[in-house]
Amino acid sequence: MNPTAALRLRQAIARTGDATRERVPTGRGPQEADDSQGTFATDGALGFDPFPFLRALHDARSHAVVIGQVAGIMHGSTELTGDLDLLWDGTPDEAHALREALARSGCAEPPDLGRAQAAYRVTGADGDLCTPALPWGAMNVAPCLTRAETTRDPAGFTVRYAALDDLIRMRRALGRPKDHRRADELTRLGGRS
């Protein structure tokens, strides 16, 4: 278990708060992010705080895995983000745990967990809940669930996040400009592309 990953995320969330403190809302949500700048340039970055939802996932005994740029930050990426994406297995037991965590976190409109990708919104964070059924190019992401790494947050809960090499492969499979840039950064941090 790597405690550094949780500390990196806490530091990044503090930097996000500092960087967006004077930003005026534009009405653009995380779903409207462009393929270069990502969600940091949207209103999703305003007040972004994934920790209450991450704590709720732990308390609900969810096995969901943090993916996307939050996982990148946990591996040392310096780019900030404004959303929290998760990979989950699509099973009824995990759907139950996710619903419990979403409810605890103020989700007013529960997402359709019968879909391969479902957008959600909780207090402090928006993002996507993705299953391995979601197309990832030629990549099978199901093994990423069992290879996930864990970190212990100083507040006393565990967070599961994508392993570095899996995250790089996911980035390359998605292929957007921001994904290539971030995959290159993660490779420089010690991953294999």
Side-chain angles (χ1 to χ4, degrees):
M1 190 171 305
N2 179 2
T4 305
L7 295 175
R8 284 179 181 145
L9 183 56
R10 288 223 173 250
Q11 291 166 351
I13 298 308
R15 287 193 348 259
T16 300
D18 291 344
T20 61
R21 188 162 286 116
E22 304 297 323
R23 190 189 294 179
V24 176
T26 62
R28 286 182 54 226
Q31 301 301 330
E32 300 167 277
D34 67 39
D35 287 344
S36 293
Q37 292 185 317
T39 58
F40 181 71
T42 71
D43 290 352
L46 305 177
F48 181 59
D49 181 4
F51 287 102
F53 187 43
L54 292 171
R55 176 68 187 242
L57 289 166
H58 169 87
D59 291 346
R61 296 194 168 116
S62 169
H63 297 287
V65 173
V66 173
I67 58 173
Q69 188 53 15
V70 170
I73 289 166
M74 295 173 85
H75 284 291
S77 175
T78 59
E79 283 196 41
L80 300 176
T81 189
D83 70 339
L84 173 66
D85 296 325
L86 300 169
L87 178 66
W88 66 291
D89 63 13
T91 64
D93 285 346
E94 186 60 31
H96 176 76
L98 285 172
R99 283 187 194 97
E100 182 180 327
L102 289 162
R104 287 182 185 189
S105 302
C107 182
E109 297 179 35
D112 178 1
L113 295 180
R115 298 176 56 207
Q117 180 178 10
Y120 75 90
R121 176 181 212 125
V122 294
T123 303
D126 296 34
D128 290 314
L129 301 170
C130 306
T131 71
L134 182 68
W136 292 81
M139 182 178 181
N140 174 11
V141 298
C144 299
L145 291 164
T146 57
R147 290 192 296 252
E149 297 182 26
T150 58
T151 185
R152 185 90 174 153
D153 186 80
F157 60 93
T158 301
V159 179
R160 299 180 75 231
Y161 62 106
L164 181 59
D165 290 339
D166 285 335
L167 187 58
I168 292 170
R169 283 191 290 277
M170 291 169 118
R171 291 284 191 206
R172 300 258 188 245
L174 291 171
R176 300 167 295 194
K178 68 179 180 181
D179 293 309
H180 286 298
R181 182 180 69 243
R182 291 171 177 174
D184 291 345
E185 178 190 30
L186 293 172
T187 300
R188 287 191 301 272
L189 290 170
R192 290 173 272 156
S193 52

